[in-house]
Amino acid sequence: MPRLGLRPSTAVYNAVIAASVRAGAVDAAYLRFQQMPADGCRPDCFTYNTLVHGVCRRGIVDEALRLVKQMEGVGIRPNVFTYTMLVDGFCNAGRVEEAVGVLERMKEKGVLATEPTYRTLVHGAFRCLGKERAYRMLSEWIESDPTVHSSAYHTLLYCLSKNDMAREAVQFVKKMGKRGYLLDSTTFSIVIPCAVKFLESNDLCELVDDFIKKGGNLGFDMYITIIKSLLRCKDISKAKLYLSQMVSDGLLSSVASYNMVIDCLAKAGEVERVLETIKVMQESGFSPNLVTFNTLINGYLKLGNVHDAKAVLKMLMEHGFMPDVITFTSLIDGLCRAHQLDDAFTCFSEMSEWGVRPNVQTYNVLIHGFCSAGHVNKAVEVLNKMKMDENVDQELGFLVL
């Protein structure tokens, strides 16, 4: 550039230094940095931040600190990006306490930490210290500093949930609740999946009830997650309570939403509750559809109640619906499990009369039923039928054998 009579600017140097850092050539970036004064270019905050980023990526945090002191010495004020990179550098070096110290220094300098700063610290602590040490250190730090931004709470709860630390998450929520901090629905939705896996039903309900009592709103998906967990634990009364709350909150506002609840109950074997829910559904002005009836059939068959499953099939047709492949496959599976193999094969044979084509799952269910009963010849007969069916993926069918 000098040969052309042009002098480089700070912006040009910054672009070259940034490109060198991105390429991992930090030494070349330093060389350009040192050439700047000779060309009459003064490094600015961007220049120093780029170099700080480069050395922190290499794990040379002490050099990053020296650069920060140098920039302060020439009258350039480090900004939030400078400090956030330092936090990341210290965490990556396993020096998390010094990373916390950077936040203290930010307060002294009047620089406000942002959400990325707090997220960097919390994620870095979990990454470098391990989950137990990270939780102890971060919870003590947050409890001792009332000025910490709520994003630090959110990120800590996120990390606790992702590390399956449900009890610690509940403990932390209670501690923060005493300080007036209320979980929002987004953060609570992060905690719930972990809570339902690792908490006893009483502890889970205490957490949920406290959230609702403090004005929190559970969405449809959260209610479904909680109800599924309670049904798995056979805590039917509390599941029913939350189901009633869903109705009160107006969350069951379509046939599809009712069907999702019915599916939860049917899979848990709670057919009586399914019938109650269908009744509430009809009273609310929603008519059951084919999915509703198929789900109810599955519920009865799960309990081995073939008789009532057939009764639902009749009810389904009375409501103007025609059985589909899901209906037939469910019935065939239920009959096989009830050791009524002749009826299962008859049901399979009647599918064509209803204009319903079997799918690979239908064939697999019937083949598995015959194989389990030792009727290999029958299984081979069904397999041969499947091989002749051009609409079925043959490879998936062979897996059952």
Side-chain angles (χ1 to χ4, degrees), residues 121-395:
L121 175 60
V122 176
H123 283 294
F126 272 84
R127 186 173 63 249
C128 301
L129 296 182
K131 59 183 184 180
E132 301 292 346
R133 283 185 60 201
Y135 171 62
R136 285 196 301 271
M137 197 210 80
L138 291 171
S139 60
E140 289 173 6
W141 165 61
I142 291 173
E143 288 175 49
S144 64
D145 187 352
T147 65
V148 173
H149 193 269
S150 61
S151 60
Y153 309 160
H154 299 166
T155 310
L156 178 54
L157 285 170
Y158 173 84
C159 289
L160 291 172
S161 298
K162 289 300 178 183
N163 284 279
D164 298 334
M165 300 174 72
R167 296 199 176 281
E168 289 83 355
V170 172
Q171 180 187 57
F172 183 72
V173 167
K174 288 179 178 178
K175 286 181 180 179
M176 293 301 100
K178 292 177 181 178
R179 288 173 52 171
Y181 167 68
L182 300 178
L183 286 178
D184 58 24
S185 295
T186 302
T187 310
F188 196 70
S189 68
I190 293 171
V191 175
I192 280 297
C194 175
V196 297
K197 284 195 293 184
F198 297 101
L199 293 182
E200 298 291 335
S201 60
N202 287 336
D203 294 330
L204 172 64
C205 291
E206 182 183 345
L207 175 68
V208 173
D209 292 342
D210 185 62
F211 177 72
I212 295 172
K213 183 180 178 181
K214 291 177 178 176
N217 293 314
L218 292 176
F220 180 85
D221 291 339
M222 275 195 281
Y223 268 118
I224 291 293
T225 301
I226 294 162
I227 289 170
K228 281 183 178 179
S229 175
L230 293 171
L231 290 172
R232 280 196 300 270
C233 298
K234 300 299 180 185
D235 198 338
I236 309 303
S237 59
K238 288 180 180 174
K240 189 176 179 181
L241 184 66
Y242 289 124
L243 179 55
S244 300
Q245 188 65 42
M246 288 182 75
V247 176
S248 300
D249 291 350
L251 295 175
L252 297 179
S253 55
S254 66
V255 176
S257 59
Y258 272 103
N259 282 343
M260 288 183 70
V261 173
I262 288 167
D263 183 60
C264 293
L265 295 168
K267 286 178 178 176
E270 294 297 324
V271 179
E272 293 302 318
R273 302 285 178 264
V274 170
L275 295 173
E276 290 176 9
T277 305
I278 291 175
K279 184 178 179 182
V280 172
M281 175 183 179
Q282 292 172 316
E283 290 172 351
S284 301
F286 299 103
S287 298
N289 61 13
L290 183 58
V291 174
T292 316
F293 290 114
N294 280 344
T295 306
L296 182 53
I297 288 171
N298 268 319
Y300 277 123
L301 293 173
K302 183 179 178 68
L303 299 175
N305 190 342
V306 178
H307 179 269
D308 283 341
K310 289 180 177 179
V312 176
L313 176 61
K314 184 179 178 181
M315 188 191 309
L316 175 156
M317 291 185 286
E318 288 173 353
H319 278 74
F321 297 105
M322 297 294 288
D324 62 2
V325 66
I326 296 174
T327 317
F328 278 106
T329 302
S330 298
L331 284 170
I332 292 167
D333 186 38
L335 290 166
C336 287
R337 291 175 185 276
H339 308 293
Q340 299 178 29
L341 296 174
D342 289 340
D343 288 344
F345 190 74
T346 300
C347 185
F348 171 76
S349 302
E350 289 177 352
M351 290 181 70
S352 58
E353 298 175 15
W354 290 88
V356 179
R357 287 183 174 276
N359 61 17
V360 67
Q361 182 64 22
T362 316
Y363 283 108
N364 279 348
V365 162
L366 190 55
I367 292 171
H368 183 269
F370 281 129
C371 286
S372 297
H375 300 318
V376 179
N377 290 337
K378 274 287 190 180
V380 172
E381 181 184 338
V382 176
L383 178 61
N384 288 333
K385 282 181 179 289
M386 185 187 71
K387 289 165 69 175
M388 296 174 64
D389 192 334
E390 297 177 354
N391 297 302
V392 174
D393 188 332
Q394 306 297 324
E395 291 184 7

Side-chain angles (χ1 to χ4, degrees), residues 98-118:
E98 290 175 80
V100 174
V102 172
L103 270 80
E104 297 302 319
R105 186 174 178 182
M106 291 177 72
K107 284 197 292 186
E108 293 171 3
K109 297 290 184 178
V111 179
L112 290 176
T114 59
E115 287 190 25
T117 314
Y118 288 112

